[in-house]
Amino acid sequence: MSDAKQQARASGTQEPKRNTGERPAVGRGPMAMMKGENARDFRGTMKRLVSYFGKYRWMILLGLVLATVGTIFGIIGPRLQGYAIDELSGIIGARMGGGEADFSGLISWIIRLLLIYGGFALASYIVGFIMTGVSADIAYRFRQDISAKMHRLPLKYYDGTTHGEVLSRITNDVDVINQTLSQGISQMITSLVTVVGSMVMMFSIDWRLTLAALVIIPLSMVVVSAIIKRSQKYFKDQQANLGHVNGHIEEMFSGHLVVKAFNGEHRAIEKFDVHNDDLHEAAWKSQFLSGLMMPIMLVFGNISFVVVAVMGGWFVAVGTLTIGAIASFIQYVRQFNQPLMQIANISNVLQQTAAAAERVFEFLEEGEEIAETSSPVALGKVSGHVEFRNVHFGYDPSQPVIKDFSAEASPGQKIAIVGPTGAGKTTMVKLLMRFYDIDSGQILIDGNEIRDFARSGLRGYFAMVLQDSWLYNATVMENIRYGRPEASDEEVMEAAKAAHVDHFIHTWPDGYNMMINEETSNISQGQKQLLTIARAILADPRMLILDEATSSVDTRTEVLTQKAMDRLMQGRTSFIIAHRLSTIRNADLILVMNEGDIIEQGTHDQLMADDGFYADLYNSQFEHVEAAG
């Protein structure tokens, strides 16, 4: 390893933990089943998973019964082939001896074989149809439940959980359950029935040949088990290192402008090489060891075939067995060896399915938002009177952020909330929208406590323009219409004109039909913010929340947008969070916050006359501007 790579490895910089979403897939080869983790409560999780099947239990049972029947048909087939071979041998012997050949017996066996294998094919088709349909329906239900749960979880959950972790539950974990149901369960049943049935048929043909064939099996299983035990840790290392590689690539790609700006390409490549080397080392070891198993099984299988062929030839020569019996026996040996690997991995399949189900059930059991009131308040007309009474709140109850906050906003007033970073300004907005529930105190709208409203009804009274503008992968028209889905195209365009973004839109390819890409990198930050303002204008709410709504626009656009916002705020209760104090000079009431408390309140002129904390903030901003000028 190069010095640069050693330095990168020894630098002490830890790779952020990421959920790569990699999960094993049932039915993709024996080694695919070995990756993953074990469930902490295997029995309890499997019991819950079975209970989740609900109305599908009888369908699953029918599928398993048909799988068993089809497997039995497949087991009977080789024995009938042996009888047909013996019949054909008799016909050949009769013809060679100059006698007449009777084909009726051979035709009878061929018809039976066609019926047997036809039944096997039909049963396999029905089992596939049933199990695929059931597994798809159950996966559909799981994803529906997870999706609904996502919208009932409090924001606190997402504050401590990565996006990849949530996505892993709804995609990869559900896929593991889906594939186990559609393939794994029927494979387990057919493998067990095949092994037992083949052994019974082998003993029915000749017990001596059966014992000779079975002697080889324990030896092969000992070797395979040793390989599995040794390779499993390399597969775990491979998954971990794959997560490091994916995480590093994601970070470097999402921040490629910063990487280039600070000439970080060389360091990024060095770190990638370290992770890539680790991945390569684990991957080739795991793949090499897993690749040994099939040749080893083939070697032992061939040894078994040689022993059976030699002994069987002798028994045919002395007249103990027929050629057809030996042909049938060899097929049963092959049938017996084939599912042994699947049986060896049944426990791994079940453990990983239980682990995936456990993660899904853990997510579905997460604590939800405080339940809605049974009889929510529904205001026919909202005047916009808002009052905070002795509000206390902390993201961590032991570390309060808001302490005894009280304020009142009369209908139609423009309320500005200012203060240094970390003072609690944005937190107040989150509490007002019930993104979080307060620890104590009250927040009232038109005299009604906000917990007496349905959350959807409460939030319908507001429109928000946040500092972090959010747009999604859709057309410009659809992004603006998100504020009011039933709005016409003309209303969308009027809102865009009011937000002074219409002239930008007409310069873009396809105008209002231009697709905003997933990273929203095909428009500027200021244009994104103007689009979110247009969305709020289209929503036409009674109350507005503007969190640094004009922070990312240039000075000329800010002046135009501020005029549009002033027209929009007329007659509406508006809460404005601003760092640039020049934008809120005409506010009806300015609340000055510091460390979760209101330390000053009043109009701009009153606060400047008081020459207190607000005046210091305001003057410091303009001193900075004058110094820069």
Side-chain angles (χ1 to χ4, degrees), residues 20 81 103 114 140 250 305 420 561:
T20 63
Q81 289 181 33
F103 288 92
L114 291 175
Y140 176 79
E250 180 185 348
F305 290 143
T561 305

Side-chain angles (χ1 to χ4, degrees), residues 558-569:
E558 179 182 357
V559 173
L560 297 174
T561 305
Q562 194 65 50
K563 291 180 180 179
M565 299 302 293
D566 288 340
R567 290 197 303 270
L568 175 65
M569 288 186 287

Side-chain angles (χ1 to χ4, degrees), residues 27-30 33 183-184 186-192 194-195 221 224 228 297 335-350:
R28 295 182 183 172
M33 301 177 185
Q183 302 175 22
S186 59
Q187 279 185 2
M188 295 172 197
I189 297 298
T190 55
S191 297
L192 289 171
T194 299
V195 168
M221 295 309 296
V224 168
I228 290 174
M297 291 297 292
Q335 280 190 351
F336 183 82
N337 289 332
Q338 188 175 7
L340 283 179
M341 188 71 69
Q342 295 172 340
I343 292 176
N345 283 281
I346 285 177
S347 61
N348 288 317
V349 173
L350 293 177

Side-chain angles (χ1 to χ4, degrees), residues 154-316:
L155 288 181
K156 179 172 62 176
Y157 174 82
Y158 296 104
D159 289 341
T161 308
T162 63
H163 295 166
E165 180 69 19
V166 177
L167 289 174
S168 178
R169 311 291 176 102
I170 199 171
T171 54
N172 300 290
D173 289 330
V174 174
D175 280 341
V176 171
I177 300 171
N178 181 15
Q179 292 174 10
T180 300
L181 287 175
S182 63
Q183 302 175 22
I185 293 180
S186 59
Q187 279 185 2
M188 295 172 197
I189 297 298
T190 55
S191 297
L192 289 171
V193 174
T194 299
V195 168
V196 174
S198 297
M199 188 180 299
V200 170
M201 297 302 291
M202 288 161 64
F203 271 108
S204 71
I205 295 173
D206 191 275
W207 65 270
R208 296 165 297 182
L209 286 177
T210 304
L211 292 179
L214 294 180
V215 167
I216 305 297
I217 302 302
L219 297 177
S220 65
M221 295 309 296
V222 168
V223 175
V224 168
S225 297
I227 294 175
I228 290 174
K229 185 176 181 180
R230 184 174 179 83
S231 64
Q232 192 166 5
K233 69 171 186 174
Y234 293 121
F235 273 105
K236 291 180 179 178
D237 291 344
Q238 179 183 349
Q239 291 301 102
N241 291 320
L242 181 61
H244 294 157
V245 169
N246 290 340
H248 178 71
I249 291 174
E250 180 185 348
E251 284 183 344
M252 295 303 102
F253 179 75
S254 60
H256 66 280
L257 291 178
V258 177
V259 172
K260 289 183 177 298
F262 288 91
N263 295 317
E265 296 94 336
H266 183 66
R267 284 168 290 172
I269 293 172
E270 285 181 350
K271 193 172 183 181
F272 174 82
D273 287 342
V274 171
H275 294 317
N276 199 29
D277 285 344
D278 293 340
L279 175 60
H280 173 265
E281 185 176 354
W284 85 260
K285 287 181 179 178
S286 62
Q287 296 299 329
F288 172 74
L289 289 173
S290 65
L292 289 176
M293 287 203 303
M294 190 56 67
I296 289 175
M297 291 297 292
L298 288 175
V299 168
F300 282 108
N302 290 333
I303 293 174
S304 178
F305 290 143
V306 170
V307 172
V308 169
V310 172
M311 292 181 64
W314 172 257
F315 292 150
V316 170

